[in-house]
Short mmCIF file of all heavy atoms in Angstrom, two decimals:
data_model
loop_
_atom_site.label_atom_id
_atom_site.label_comp_id
_atom_site.label_asym_id
_atom_site.label_seq_id
_atom_site.Cartn_x
_atom_site.Cartn_y
_atom_site.Cartn_z
N ILE B 158 4.89 -5.09 12.66
CA ILE B 158 4.74 -5.78 11.37
C ILE B 158 5.42 -7.16 11.42
O ILE B 158 4.86 -8.15 10.96
CB ILE B 158 5.30 -4.90 10.24
CG1 ILE B 158 4.45 -3.63 10.09
CG2 ILE B 158 5.33 -5.66 8.93
CD1 ILE B 158 5.05 -2.57 9.21
N ALA B 159 6.61 -7.20 12.04
CA ALA B 159 7.33 -8.47 12.12
C ALA B 159 6.56 -9.52 12.92
O ALA B 159 6.62 -10.71 12.64
CB ALA B 159 8.71 -8.25 12.76
N GLU B 160 5.83 -9.05 13.92
CA GLU B 160 5.06 -9.98 14.75
C GLU B 160 3.99 -10.72 13.98
O GLU B 160 3.50 -11.76 14.38
CB GLU B 160 4.41 -9.22 15.93
CG GLU B 160 5.39 -8.99 17.08
CD GLU B 160 4.87 -8.06 18.15
OE1 GLU B 160 3.80 -7.46 17.94
OE2 GLU B 160 5.56 -7.92 19.18
N THR B 161 3.57 -10.14 12.83
CA THR B 161 2.58 -10.85 12.00
C THR B 161 3.23 -11.80 11.02
O THR B 161 2.56 -12.39 10.18
CB THR B 161 1.72 -9.84 11.22
OG1 THR B 161 2.56 -9.20 10.24
CG2 THR B 161 1.11 -8.79 12.11
N GLY B 162 4.57 -11.90 11.11
CA GLY B 162 5.27 -12.81 10.21
C GLY B 162 5.75 -12.15 8.94
O GLY B 162 6.33 -12.81 8.07
N ARG B 163 5.55 -10.83 8.82
CA ARG B 163 6.00 -10.12 7.63
C ARG B 163 7.48 -9.77 7.73
O ARG B 163 7.97 -9.52 8.81
CB ARG B 163 5.24 -8.80 7.44
CG ARG B 163 3.78 -8.93 7.36
CD ARG B 163 3.34 -9.30 5.97
NE ARG B 163 1.90 -9.11 5.92
CZ ARG B 163 1.32 -7.99 5.53
NH1 ARG B 163 2.04 -6.99 5.14
NH2 ARG B 163 0.01 -7.90 5.52
N LYS B 164 8.12 -9.65 6.59
CA LYS B 164 9.55 -9.29 6.55
C LYS B 164 9.66 -7.76 6.51
O LYS B 164 8.95 -7.08 5.78
CB LYS B 164 10.20 -9.86 5.30
CG LYS B 164 10.15 -11.38 5.24
CD LYS B 164 11.23 -12.01 6.08
CE LYS B 164 11.21 -13.53 5.90
NZ LYS B 164 11.75 -14.22 7.06
N VAL B 165 10.60 -7.29 7.31
CA VAL B 165 10.84 -5.85 7.40
C VAL B 165 12.32 -5.57 7.23
O VAL B 165 13.14 -6.30 7.76
CB VAL B 165 10.41 -5.35 8.81
CG1 VAL B 165 10.80 -3.90 9.01
CG2 VAL B 165 8.92 -5.52 9.04
N THR B 166 12.64 -4.54 6.46
CA THR B 166 14.02 -4.05 6.45
C THR B 166 14.03 -2.71 7.16
O THR B 166 13.29 -1.80 6.79
CB THR B 166 14.54 -3.92 5.01
OG1 THR B 166 14.61 -5.21 4.43
CG2 THR B 166 15.93 -3.30 4.98
N LEU B 167 14.85 -2.63 8.20
CA LEU B 167 14.92 -1.42 9.01
C LEU B 167 16.25 -0.73 8.74
O LEU B 167 17.31 -1.28 9.05
CB LEU B 167 14.79 -1.81 10.49
CG LEU B 167 14.78 -0.73 11.56
CD1 LEU B 167 13.68 0.30 11.33
CD2 LEU B 167 14.60 -1.36 12.95
N VAL B 168 16.18 0.43 8.13
CA VAL B 168 17.38 1.15 7.72
C VAL B 168 17.66 2.28 8.71
O VAL B 168 16.79 3.11 8.96
CB VAL B 168 17.22 1.72 6.30
CG1 VAL B 168 18.40 2.61 5.93
CG2 VAL B 168 17.08 0.60 5.30
N GLU B 169 18.84 2.29 9.29
CA GLU B 169 19.19 3.31 10.27
C GLU B 169 20.51 3.95 9.87
O GLU B 169 21.47 3.28 9.57
CB GLU B 169 19.27 2.68 11.67
CG GLU B 169 19.90 3.52 12.74
CD GLU B 169 19.22 4.86 13.00
OE1 GLU B 169 17.97 4.90 13.05
OE2 GLU B 169 19.94 5.88 13.13
N LYS B 170 20.53 5.27 9.90
CA LYS B 170 21.71 6.01 9.47
C LYS B 170 22.87 5.90 10.46
O LYS B 170 24.00 5.80 10.08
CB LYS B 170 21.33 7.48 9.27
CG LYS B 170 22.27 8.25 8.41
CD LYS B 170 21.61 9.41 7.72
CE LYS B 170 21.52 10.64 8.59
NZ LYS B 170 21.08 11.80 7.88
N SER B 171 22.55 5.88 11.74
CA SER B 171 23.62 5.88 12.75
C SER B 171 24.04 4.42 13.04
O SER B 171 23.41 3.48 12.57
CB SER B 171 23.11 6.55 14.03
OG SER B 171 22.34 5.64 14.79
N PRO B 172 25.09 4.23 13.82
CA PRO B 172 25.54 2.85 14.09
C PRO B 172 24.66 2.10 15.10
O PRO B 172 24.79 0.90 15.26
CB PRO B 172 26.95 3.04 14.71
CG PRO B 172 27.31 4.46 14.45
CD PRO B 172 26.05 5.23 14.34
N ALA B 173 23.73 2.83 15.78
CA ALA B 173 22.94 2.18 16.83
C ALA B 173 21.46 2.41 16.60
O ALA B 173 21.05 3.37 15.96
CB ALA B 173 23.34 2.75 18.19
N VAL B 174 20.63 1.50 17.14
CA VAL B 174 19.19 1.68 17.05
C VAL B 174 18.68 2.29 18.36
O VAL B 174 19.36 2.24 19.39
CB VAL B 174 18.47 0.34 16.77
CG1 VAL B 174 18.83 -0.17 15.38
CG2 VAL B 174 18.78 -0.69 17.83
N GLY B 175 17.49 2.85 18.31
CA GLY B 175 16.89 3.42 19.53
C GLY B 175 16.52 4.88 19.40
O GLY B 175 15.76 5.41 20.20
N GLY B 176 17.11 5.54 18.39
CA GLY B 176 16.75 6.94 18.16
C GLY B 176 17.25 7.87 19.25
O GLY B 176 18.19 7.56 19.97
N GLN B 177 16.59 8.99 19.40
CA GLN B 177 17.01 9.99 20.38
C GLN B 177 16.86 9.50 21.82
O GLN B 177 17.78 9.61 22.61
CB GLN B 177 16.19 11.28 20.21
CG GLN B 177 16.75 12.21 19.13
CD GLN B 177 18.13 12.73 19.43
OE1 GLN B 177 18.53 12.84 20.58
NE2 GLN B 177 18.88 13.04 18.41
N PRO B 178 15.69 8.96 22.21
CA PRO B 178 15.49 8.70 23.64
C PRO B 178 16.45 7.69 24.24
O PRO B 178 16.67 7.69 25.45
CB PRO B 178 14.04 8.19 23.73
CG PRO B 178 13.57 8.02 22.35
CD PRO B 178 14.47 8.74 21.43
N VAL B 179 17.06 6.86 23.38
CA VAL B 179 18.00 5.88 23.94
C VAL B 179 19.25 6.60 24.50
O VAL B 179 20.01 6.05 25.28
CB VAL B 179 18.34 4.83 22.86
CG1 VAL B 179 19.46 5.29 21.94
CG2 VAL B 179 18.69 3.49 23.49
N LEU B 180 19.40 7.86 24.11
CA LEU B 180 20.52 8.65 24.61
C LEU B 180 20.17 9.38 25.92
O LEU B 180 21.02 10.02 26.52
CB LEU B 180 20.95 9.70 23.56
CG LEU B 180 21.54 9.11 22.27
CD1 LEU B 180 21.54 10.14 21.15
CD2 LEU B 180 22.96 8.61 22.51
N TYR B 181 18.92 9.32 26.32
CA TYR B 181 18.48 10.03 27.52
C TYR B 181 18.62 9.13 28.74
O TYR B 181 18.58 7.90 28.64
CB TYR B 181 17.00 10.45 27.42
CG TYR B 181 16.65 11.35 26.25
CD1 TYR B 181 15.33 11.57 25.91
CD2 TYR B 181 17.64 11.98 25.48
CE1 TYR B 181 14.99 12.40 24.84
CE2 TYR B 181 17.32 12.79 24.43
CZ TYR B 181 15.98 13.00 24.10
OH TYR B 181 15.65 13.80 23.05
N GLU B 182 18.75 9.78 29.90
CA GLU B 182 18.78 9.03 31.16
C GLU B 182 17.36 8.70 31.60
O GLU B 182 17.05 7.55 31.93
CB GLU B 182 19.49 9.88 32.24
CG GLU B 182 19.69 9.17 33.55
CD GLU B 182 20.76 8.09 33.53
OE1 GLU B 182 21.46 7.96 32.50
OE2 GLU B 182 20.91 7.36 34.52
N GLU B 183 16.53 9.72 31.62
CA GLU B 183 15.15 9.54 32.04
C GLU B 183 14.23 10.28 31.09
O GLU B 183 14.64 11.28 30.48
CB GLU B 183 14.95 10.09 33.47
CG GLU B 183 15.70 9.26 34.51
CD GLU B 183 15.73 9.89 35.90
OE1 GLU B 183 15.21 11.02 36.06
OE2 GLU B 183 16.27 9.27 36.81
N VAL B 184 13.01 9.79 30.98
CA VAL B 184 12.07 10.45 30.05
C VAL B 184 10.87 11.01 30.83
O VAL B 184 10.51 10.50 31.89
CB VAL B 184 11.58 9.49 28.95
CG1 VAL B 184 12.69 9.11 28.01
CG2 VAL B 184 10.93 8.24 29.56
#
Side-chain angles (χ1 to χ4, degrees):
Chain B
I158 294 168
E160 278 170 352
T161 67
R163 303 279 192 92
K164 300 278 185 206
V165 173
T166 295
L167 182 56
V168 173
E169 167 59 43
K170 199 153 84 171
S171 82
V174 294
Q177 277 296 333
V179 84
L180 294 163
Y181 301 167
E182 184 74 6
E183 292 170 357
V184 292

